[in-house]
Amino acid sequence: MEAAARVIARRGVRGLRVEELAAEAGVSTALIYYHFKDRAGILHATLEFINDRAGRYTTERGPDEPPLDALGELRQTLLLEFQDTPEVRENSTAWGELRASAVFDPELREDLARATLVWVQEVAELLGRVRPMGGAAALAGSAERLTALVEGLSVRWLSGSLPLAHARDLMAEAVDAELERLRG
């Protein structure tokens, strides 16, 4: 799955060739088809892998680190999407490629919509822990805005039109603004 994310981040979804994926992964093309059946299966599994990996690097904490309060968890979850590491760059680029391809691919669109819904729900839950009196609709709206902003800022950062530090600052300001909005 790491190889699939790398190839998609490097070549895009349209540039994904099973032969290149197999070479990148160090396995045979037949083995790729055996496990994933077809290109759609590869894309579906890669989307799941990208989501799981993002969940790890945005939520894991070292054993010696103190636990975070709800606000700290919310900030960490959103701000750690902006790290200048190969893993985060690759994940963000591959996610953007999958999102762009979903415009033209209805099957991929359904998978991406489900993954996005889960992400929005997770952020809404974190927001609700910070603002327990926020209504469900307000929390969902704030989560939609924040997750969409992560995607937009990521594209600008990765394309070189926005410095990483500025993307992080804008994200932090947006979190504060949404929490203030939820305060009512």
Side-chain angles (χ1 to χ4, degrees):
M1 295 320 324
E2 289 176 8
R6 272 194 306 275
V7 171
I8 291 171
R10 187 171 58 236
R11 301 253 190 241
V13 171
R14 289 185 175 174
L16 175 67
R17 302 288 173 260
V18 177
E19 297 78 18
E20 183 181 1
L21 171 57
E24 182 87 20
V27 299
S28 71
T29 303
L31 187 61
I32 298 287
Y33 281 115
Y34 175 78
H35 281 287
F36 303 106
K37 307 295 182 241
D38 56 18
R39 185 178 166 80
I42 295 167
L43 295 177
H44 175 79
T46 304
L47 180 60
E48 285 183 8
F49 171 78
I50 288 169
N51 284 333
D52 291 345
R53 186 163 66 171
R56 281 192 308 275
Y57 67 67
T58 59
T59 60
E60 286 185 350
R61 304 199 30 87
D64 297 336
E65 295 180 66
L68 294 172
D69 63 4
L71 179 57
E73 262 189 75
L74 174 65
R75 288 185 185 284
Q76 175 178 296
T77 297
L78 295 171
L79 292 174
L80 288 181
E81 291 284 356
F82 302 97
Q83 301 177 67
D84 197 10
T85 66
E87 181 180 55
V88 174
R89 281 182 161 278
E90 181 179 282
N91 237 44
S92 295
T93 302
W95 176 267
E97 285 293 328
L98 288 161
R99 168 83 62 210
S101 293
V103 171
F104 305 103
D105 183 345
E107 189 172 316
L108 185 56
R109 194 177 305 154
E110 291 174 20
D111 289 343
L112 203 60
R114 277 191 296 275
T116 301
L117 179 62
V118 168
W119 186 26
V120 168
Q121 289 171 339
E122 288 170 354
V123 172
E125 181 184 324
L126 289 169
L127 286 162
R129 289 180 45 215
V130 178
R131 292 284 185 265
M133 299 309 289
L139 292 168
S142 289
E144 285 277 1
R145 285 186 290 277
L146 290 172
T147 56
L149 185 60
V150 167
E151 289 183 5
L153 291 174
S154 289
V155 169
R156 289 186 181 188
W157 160 54
L158 292 166
S159 67
S161 59
L162 187 68
L164 178 60
H166 190 53
R168 288 179 63 88
D169 289 344
L170 291 171
M171 193 71 236
E173 290 170 10
V175 169
D176 292 342
E178 289 298 333
L179 290 173
E180 189 58 36
R181 177 190 296 237
L182 289 168
R183 185 186 308 264

